[in-house]
Amino acid sequence: MKRLAVYCGSATPADPVYIDCAKEVGRTLAERGIGLVYGGGRLGLMGAVADAAMAAGGEVIGIIPQALVDAEVAHQGLTELHVVGTMHQRKQAFTDLSDGFINLPGGTGTMDELWEALSWAQIGYHAKPVGLLNIAGYYDHLIAFYHHMASVGFLRPQHAGILLIDSALDGLLAQMASHEPIETITKIARATFERGGTLARRDRRDRAGIDRTRIEELCRRQPPVRAQDARTGVVALCLVPRVRRHCRRAGPRP
């Protein structure tokens, strides 16, 4: 993994554990030679993760919409700062520039980024690992809800393991490094369609075999009567009315 996108809040909670976590993430990524791609802000956890990575000599790329630049919250001391027009362009840039995603504690914006990274992985828009760093039990309830989605049936069994979870950064990075792409929704749908077509063809063949067996049985019980159409000369094998649908038309007889 050459670069990782880090999603986190721009707030500074009263408990210093969250800012300390962001600093650890920024410093560790820089020490491991992993570039940081983040939201481009200078406040809260966002500013802490960027400052720590820069102080450790790491590469830091910020992606920020123009509206937040106008609000004077952009970090001006980064390796690169990309200014985009919309939030969607911002998240697309995160995906394009990174090899995976780490979610630190944050608010609604961080949740939006997390769920989009997960849903894009399900669909197959990317095949990159999505990690959740559960510091101080911050995401305990979200993790329980994620498992609840799977137990109810809104999350396919193939996708229950998309979200990689750990309370320690080293453990999370190890999971992300060994990540293998999942079976996407599009692949599942295609396989289901193809399997359904195969089963349908097999069912038609089986039914045809049953029909032939039934006709032979009926013919043994009551030989069919040949009838010739006076106008066309076509000869048909006529069985009893209730099984007339099994009759086969023969070609013109000499």
Side-chain angles (χ1 to χ4, degrees):
M1 297 181 293
K2 294 182 179 180
R3 290 174 180 162
L4 289 176
V6 173
Y7 297 146
C8 57
S10 59
T12 303
D15 190 336
V17 67
Y18 300 110
I19 291 293
D20 291 343
C21 165
K23 291 178 179 179
E24 179 193 0
V25 170
R27 181 175 58 254
T28 300
L29 293 183
E31 291 173 351
R32 294 192 180 196
I34 300 174
L36 167 67
V37 182
Y38 87 115
R42 60 181 178 81
L43 305 175
L45 273 68
M46 292 176 67
V49 70
D51 288 341
M54 290 294 297
E59 176 194 48
V60 181
I61 300 175
I63 313 293
I64 191 168
Q66 182 64 53
L68 293 181
V69 175
D70 296 341
E72 300 183 351
V73 299
H75 198 307
Q76 299 299 334
L78 308 176
T79 308
E80 298 177 19
L81 182 64
H82 299 187
V83 180
V84 296
T86 67
M87 294 295 285
H88 178 76
Q89 291 172 343
R90 185 192 206 186
K91 289 181 286 186
Q92 183 65 61
F94 287 145
T95 304
D96 293 340
L97 295 175
S98 69
D99 300 311
F101 311 88
I102 295 181
N103 280 78
L104 307 186
T108 55
T110 306
M111 294 301 95
D112 172 50
E113 291 160 344
L114 168 63
W115 293 117
E116 183 157 300
L118 290 171
S119 63
W120 284 19
Q122 282 184 304
I123 296 171
Y125 288 172
H126 72 76
K128 303 172 182 181
V130 182
L132 187 70
L133 190 57
N134 188 27
I135 295 299
Y138 180 77
Y139 282 122
D140 284 352
H141 295 296
L142 184 143
I143 293 168
F145 175 66
Y146 184 79
H147 292 156
H148 178 62
M149 287 193 296
S151 65
V152 169
F154 284 111
L155 188 63
R156 292 173 173 81
Q158 300 95 318
H159 301 153
I162 289 180
L163 183 59
L164 307 176
I165 304 168
D166 209 303
S167 58
L169 179 59
D170 287 342
L172 186 60
L173 290 175
Q175 289 189 63
M176 296 177 70
S178 60
H179 165 76
E180 294 184 2
I182 57 128
E183 187 178 15
T184 64
I185 289 176
T186 51
K187 288 183 179 178
I188 293 172
R190 189 179 303 114
T192 301
F193 175 79
E194 291 173 353
R195 185 165 57 250
T198 300
L199 292 175
R201 289 190 296 271
R202 185 181 302 166
D203 182 64
R204 287 196 296 270
R205 289 196 299 268
D206 293 344
R207 288 179 179 274
I210 292 172
D211 287 347
R212 285 193 295 271
T213 302
R214 180 62 174 159
I215 290 172
E216 292 172 359
E217 180 185 349
L218 290 171
C219 287
R220 285 195 299 269
R221 292 182 182 179
Q222 180 178 340
V225 178
R226 288 184 178 274
Q228 183 174 25
D229 188 297
R231 183 173 60 84
T232 63
V234 174
V235 176
L237 299 178
C238 299
L239 303 177
V240 293
R242 66 187 180 88
V243 293
R244 191 161 291 163
R245 66 180 180 277
H246 295 299
C247 291
R248 291 186 176 181
R249 293 170 63 87
R253 299 289 179 174

